[in-house]
C-alpha cells in the first residue's frame, strides 16, 4: 500500500503579507536620497525657565534710550488734563472739552468759559443734554479735525449766524480742530 503523505504548508496570514509589504515599501523609501534631519533633544523645563527669566529681565526702555537719545518715558509724559482743556460752566455744573474744540464764543457767553467755584464736573454728553439751548455741536470729520480739509461753507455760514457757543464734535464727543493746513499749489508757467 502506498501511503500518500501530505505536506501541510503553514498558513500565511494576511497580516504577515501586509507587514512584509510595508517593510519592502520602507526599504524602498530609504533607498531614495532625502534630506538629512538633525535630531535634537527636547527642551527641559529648566532651560525654558532660564530663557524666560533672561527675556523678562531685559529692559525695553534701555534700548529705546540708546536709539532715541533720551528716555521716552520722561520726554512724553502727559500734561495735566486741565491745561489741555477748556472749561464750559453754567448752572452749577461744568464740563471739560479739549483745547481748540470751541469754534465760536459769542460775547454774551464769554463768562461761561471758565471754572466757577463750587461747580460739579459732568461728562460732555450730560452737560450738552442739559444746555442744548445755548450750545451747538458741529460734527466734523477726522480730516477736518486734523486741519487737512476745511469745514464746509454752509456749516461756516450757519456758525457765523448763530448766537450759540459752538463746539466741534467727532462721533458725538468734543474734538480739537487744528488750523487748516495750507497746501502750496505749484503753478508752473509754461513758456
Amino acid at each position: 500500500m502506498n501511503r500518500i503523505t501530505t505536506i501541510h504548508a503553514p498558513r500565511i496570514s494576511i497580516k504577515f503579507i501586509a507587514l512584509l509589504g510595508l517593510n519592502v515599501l520602507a526599504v524602498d523609501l530609504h533607498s531614495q536620497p532625502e534630506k538629512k534631519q538633525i535630531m535634537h533633544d527636547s527642551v527641559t523645563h529648566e532651560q525654558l525657565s532660564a530663557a524666560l527669566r533672561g527675556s523678562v529681565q531685559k529692559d525695553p526702555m534701555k534700548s529705546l534710550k540708546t536709539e532715541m537719545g533720551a528716555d521716552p518715558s520722561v520726554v512724553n509724559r502727559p500734561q495735566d488734563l486741565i491745561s489741555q482743556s477748556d472749561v464750559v460752566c453754567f448752572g452749577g455744573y461744568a464740563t471739560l472739552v479739549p483745547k481748540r474744540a470751541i469754534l465760536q464764543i459769542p460775547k454774551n457767553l464769554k463768562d461761561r468759559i471758565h471754572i466757577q467755584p463750587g461747580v460739579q464736573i459732568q461728562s460732555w454728553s450730560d452737560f450738552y443734554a442739559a444746555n442744548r439751548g445755548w450750545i451747538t455741536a458741529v460734527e466734523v470729520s477726522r480730516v477736518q479735525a486734523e486741519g487737512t480739509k476745511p469745514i464746509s461753507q454752509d456749516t461756516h455760514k450757519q456758525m457765523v449766524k448763530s448766537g450759540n457757543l459752538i463746539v466741534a464734535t467727532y462721533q458725538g464727543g468734543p474734538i480739537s480742530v487744528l488750523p487748516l493746513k495750507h497746501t502750496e499749489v505749484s503753478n508752473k508757467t509754461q513758456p
Side-chain angles (χ1 to χ4, degrees):
M1 237 180 133
N2 273 340
R3 238 166 116 98
I4 301 178
T5 51
T6 56
I7 301 174
H8 293 287
R11 288 186 161 177
I12 301 176
S13 70
I14 295 177
K15 290 180 184 177
F16 178 73
I17 294 173
L19 287 175
L20 183 63
L22 287 177
N23 284 338
V24 170
L25 181 64
V27 169
D28 186 40
L29 288 176
H30 285 292
S31 65
Q32 296 176 358
E34 65 179 58
K35 297 178 185 175
K36 297 215 175 203
Q37 294 181 351
I38 300 172
M39 301 296 278
H40 295 285
D41 290 334
S42 61
V43 180
T44 65
H45 175 72
E46 289 78 19
Q47 291 169 330
L48 285 174
S49 298
L52 180 63
R53 274 192 301 267
S55 67
V56 169
Q57 292 176 354
K58 293 178 184 174
D59 186 9
M61 294 305 287
K62 288 183 181 177
S63 63
L64 283 176
K65 285 180 192 177
T66 56
E67 291 173 11
M68 299 175 68
D71 186 357
S73 66
V74 173
V75 174
N76 297 323
R77 285 202 176 149
Q79 298 174 349
D80 64 304
L81 183 62
I82 300 295
S83 70
Q84 295 179 348
S85 304
D86 285 325
V87 179
V88 183
C89 189
F90 181 70
Y93 295 98
T95 190
L96 301 175
V97 295
K99 295 267 188 203
R100 296 187 180 180
I102 299 175
L103 302 178
Q104 175 177 298
I105 306 170
K107 290 179 183 178
N108 63 333
L109 300 176
K110 284 190 184 253
D111 62 333
R112 297 182 187 183
I113 308 301
H114 66 280
I115 192 92
Q116 297 170 356
V119 295
Q120 291 182 351
I121 302 292
Q122 285 186 323
S123 67
W124 163 252
S125 58
D126 292 339
F127 187 83
Y128 178 60
N131 297 289
R132 287 180 191 248
W134 59 274
I135 298 176
T136 300
V138 174
E139 190 72 18
V140 296
S141 66
R142 184 173 176 195
V143 290
Q144 289 172 328
E146 291 171 347
T148 318
K149 183 178 175 185
I151 296 174
S152 71
Q153 288 290 6
D154 293 336
T155 305
H156 189 67
K157 287 178 185 176
Q158 289 176 353
M159 287 172 37
V160 171
K161 290 179 185 177
S162 175
N164 287 352
L165 178 82
I166 298 179
V167 178
T169 58
Y170 177 69
Q171 297 180 352
I175 187 170
S176 298
V177 176
L178 298 176
L180 189 60
K181 297 174 187 172
H182 296 286
T183 55
E184 293 182 18
V185 179
S186 59
N187 295 329
K188 294 182 180 179
T189 56
Q190 297 179 354

